[in-house]
Amino acid sequence: MDAPARRLWWKAAGVAVLAFAAAAAFSAYLRPDMLAAFGDLLAFCATLLR
């Protein structure tokens, strides 16, 4: 993989992490008990990616 493609991949990964963090913060603001459910969803997605 060349350098520009790798840099684009890292930027996309950073945006995705930022979007997940913003979604977690927003759900925690609306309903604090939803943060645990969001964590479970992320853990499920992580197991699917392995």
PDB file of all heavy atoms in Angstrom, residues 4 10-11 17 19 21-22 30-31 33 47 50:
ATOM      1  N   PRO A   4       0.018   7.624   0.221  1.00  0.00           N
ATOM      2  CA  PRO A   4      -1.251   8.370   0.229  1.00  0.00           C
ATOM      3  C   PRO A   4      -2.456   7.505   0.591  1.00  0.00           C
ATOM      4  O   PRO A   4      -3.350   7.951   1.299  1.00  0.00           O
ATOM      5  CB  PRO A   4      -1.368   8.896  -1.207  1.00  0.00           C
ATOM      6  CG  PRO A   4       0.027   8.940  -1.712  1.00  0.00           C
ATOM      7  CD  PRO A   4       0.732   7.784  -1.052  1.00  0.00           C
ATOM      8  N   TRP A  10      -5.873   5.914   7.451  1.00  0.00           N
ATOM      9  CA  TRP A  10      -5.765   6.360   8.840  1.00  0.00           C
ATOM     10  C   TRP A  10      -6.725   7.517   9.121  1.00  0.00           C
ATOM     11  O   TRP A  10      -7.308   7.604  10.205  1.00  0.00           O
ATOM     12  CB  TRP A  10      -4.332   6.762   9.182  1.00  0.00           C
ATOM     13  CG  TRP A  10      -3.485   5.578   9.497  1.00  0.00           C
ATOM     14  CD1 TRP A  10      -2.466   5.086   8.744  1.00  0.00           C
ATOM     15  CD2 TRP A  10      -3.589   4.712  10.626  1.00  0.00           C
ATOM     16  NE1 TRP A  10      -1.938   3.980   9.333  1.00  0.00           N
ATOM     17  CE2 TRP A  10      -2.598   3.723  10.487  1.00  0.00           C
ATOM     18  CE3 TRP A  10      -4.423   4.677  11.734  1.00  0.00           C
ATOM     19  CZ2 TRP A  10      -2.441   2.713  11.434  1.00  0.00           C
ATOM     20  CZ3 TRP A  10      -4.243   3.669  12.672  1.00  0.00           C
ATOM     21  CH2 TRP A  10      -3.263   2.700  12.513  1.00  0.00           C
ATOM     22  N   LYS A  11      -6.890   8.404   8.149  1.00  0.00           N
ATOM     23  CA  LYS A  11      -7.848   9.496   8.340  1.00  0.00           C
ATOM     24  C   LYS A  11      -9.272   8.946   8.449  1.00  0.00           C
ATOM     25  O   LYS A  11     -10.052   9.384   9.294  1.00  0.00           O
ATOM     26  CB  LYS A  11      -7.768  10.482   7.180  1.00  0.00           C
ATOM     27  CG  LYS A  11      -6.584  11.409   7.252  1.00  0.00           C
ATOM     28  CD  LYS A  11      -6.611  12.401   6.111  1.00  0.00           C
ATOM     29  CE  LYS A  11      -5.386  13.281   6.140  1.00  0.00           C
ATOM     30  NZ  LYS A  11      -5.390  14.245   5.026  1.00  0.00           N
ATOM     31  N   VAL A  17     -13.627   6.528  14.465  1.00  0.00           N
ATOM     32  CA  VAL A  17     -13.486   6.505  15.934  1.00  0.00           C
ATOM     33  C   VAL A  17     -14.120   7.747  16.541  1.00  0.00           C
ATOM     34  O   VAL A  17     -14.818   7.665  17.564  1.00  0.00           O
ATOM     35  CB  VAL A  17     -11.996   6.382  16.327  1.00  0.00           C
ATOM     36  CG1 VAL A  17     -11.777   6.666  17.803  1.00  0.00           C
ATOM     37  CG2 VAL A  17     -11.471   5.004  15.959  1.00  0.00           C
ATOM     38  N   ALA A  19     -16.575   9.473  15.286  1.00  0.00           N
ATOM     39  CA  ALA A  19     -18.027   9.338  15.159  1.00  0.00           C
ATOM     40  C   ALA A  19     -18.586   8.409  16.241  1.00  0.00           C
ATOM     41  O   ALA A  19     -19.639   8.691  16.829  1.00  0.00           O
ATOM     42  CB  ALA A  19     -18.378   8.818  13.777  1.00  0.00           C
ATOM     43  N   ALA A  21     -17.227   7.851  19.184  1.00  0.00           N
ATOM     44  CA  ALA A  21     -17.117   8.556  20.469  1.00  0.00           C
ATOM     45  C   ALA A  21     -18.223   9.597  20.613  1.00  0.00           C
ATOM     46  O   ALA A  21     -18.807   9.751  21.690  1.00  0.00           O
ATOM     47  CB  ALA A  21     -15.749   9.209  20.583  1.00  0.00           C
ATOM     48  N   ALA A  22     -18.518  10.309  19.530  1.00  0.00           N
ATOM     49  CA  ALA A  22     -19.586  11.308  19.584  1.00  0.00           C
ATOM     50  C   ALA A  22     -20.942  10.642  19.804  1.00  0.00           C
ATOM     51  O   ALA A  22     -21.770  11.144  20.568  1.00  0.00           O
ATOM     52  CB  ALA A  22     -19.602  12.125  18.295  1.00  0.00           C
ATOM     53  N   LEU A  30     -28.316  11.594  26.585  1.00  0.00           N
ATOM     54  CA  LEU A  30     -29.760  11.380  26.550  1.00  0.00           C
ATOM     55  C   LEU A  30     -30.218  10.381  27.595  1.00  0.00           C
ATOM     56  O   LEU A  30     -31.166  10.629  28.338  1.00  0.00           O
ATOM     57  CB  LEU A  30     -30.187  10.898  25.157  1.00  0.00           C
ATOM     58  CG  LEU A  30     -30.048  11.916  24.036  1.00  0.00           C
ATOM     59  CD1 LEU A  30     -30.476  11.293  22.726  1.00  0.00           C
ATOM     60  CD2 LEU A  30     -30.858  13.164  24.320  1.00  0.00           C
ATOM     61  N   ARG A  31     -29.558   9.240  27.624  1.00  0.00           N
ATOM     62  CA  ARG A  31     -29.920   8.181  28.577  1.00  0.00           C
ATOM     63  C   ARG A  31     -28.642   7.493  29.038  1.00  0.00           C
ATOM     64  O   ARG A  31     -28.043   6.733  28.281  1.00  0.00           O
ATOM     65  CB  ARG A  31     -30.828   7.165  27.909  1.00  0.00           C
ATOM     66  CG  ARG A  31     -32.190   7.733  27.587  1.00  0.00           C
ATOM     67  CD  ARG A  31     -33.113   6.729  26.987  1.00  0.00           C
ATOM     68  NE  ARG A  31     -33.239   5.530  27.817  1.00  0.00           N
ATOM     69  CZ  ARG A  31     -33.798   4.412  27.408  1.00  0.00           C
ATOM     70  NH1 ARG A  31     -34.259   4.322  26.180  1.00  0.00           N
ATOM     71  NH2 ARG A  31     -33.904   3.379  28.198  1.00  0.00           N
ATOM     72  N   ASP A  33     -28.065   4.943  30.832  1.00  0.00           N
ATOM     73  CA  ASP A  33     -28.061   3.484  30.779  1.00  0.00           C
ATOM     74  C   ASP A  33     -27.794   2.973  29.366  1.00  0.00           C
ATOM     75  O   ASP A  33     -27.430   1.817  29.174  1.00  0.00           O
ATOM     76  CB  ASP A  33     -29.375   2.921  31.303  1.00  0.00           C
ATOM     77  CG  ASP A  33     -30.579   3.409  30.516  1.00  0.00           C
ATOM     78  OD1 ASP A  33     -30.536   4.558  30.028  1.00  0.00           O
ATOM     79  OD2 ASP A  33     -31.559   2.650  30.399  1.00  0.00           O
ATOM     80  N   THR A  47     -16.112  -8.352  17.713  1.00  0.00           N
ATOM     81  CA  THR A  47     -15.995  -9.800  17.573  1.00  0.00           C
ATOM     82  C   THR A  47     -16.331 -10.234  16.156  1.00  0.00           C
ATOM     83  O   THR A  47     -15.769 -11.215  15.653  1.00  0.00           O
ATOM     84  CB  THR A  47     -16.914 -10.550  18.566  1.00  0.00           C
ATOM     85  OG1 THR A  47     -18.245 -10.114  18.384  1.00  0.00           O
ATOM     86  CG2 THR A  47     -16.480 -10.311  19.986  1.00  0.00           C
ATOM     87  N   ARG A  50     -13.218  -9.848  13.841  1.00  0.00           N
ATOM     88  CA  ARG A  50     -12.069 -10.748  14.045  1.00  0.00           C
ATOM     89  C   ARG A  50     -12.130 -11.947  13.189  1.00  0.00           C
ATOM     90  O   ARG A  50     -12.920 -12.457  12.627  1.00  0.00           O
ATOM     91  CB  ARG A  50     -12.011 -11.220  15.483  1.00  0.00           C
ATOM     92  CG  ARG A  50     -11.521 -10.149  16.385  1.00  0.00           C
ATOM     93  CD  ARG A  50     -11.245 -10.719  17.722  1.00  0.00           C
ATOM     94  NE  ARG A  50     -11.509  -9.670  18.690  1.00  0.00           N
ATOM     95  CZ  ARG A  50     -11.482  -9.863  19.960  1.00  0.00           C
ATOM     96  NH1 ARG A  50     -11.222 -11.021  20.461  1.00  0.00           N
ATOM     97  NH2 ARG A  50     -11.713  -8.890  20.777  1.00  0.00           N
TER      98      ARG A  50
END
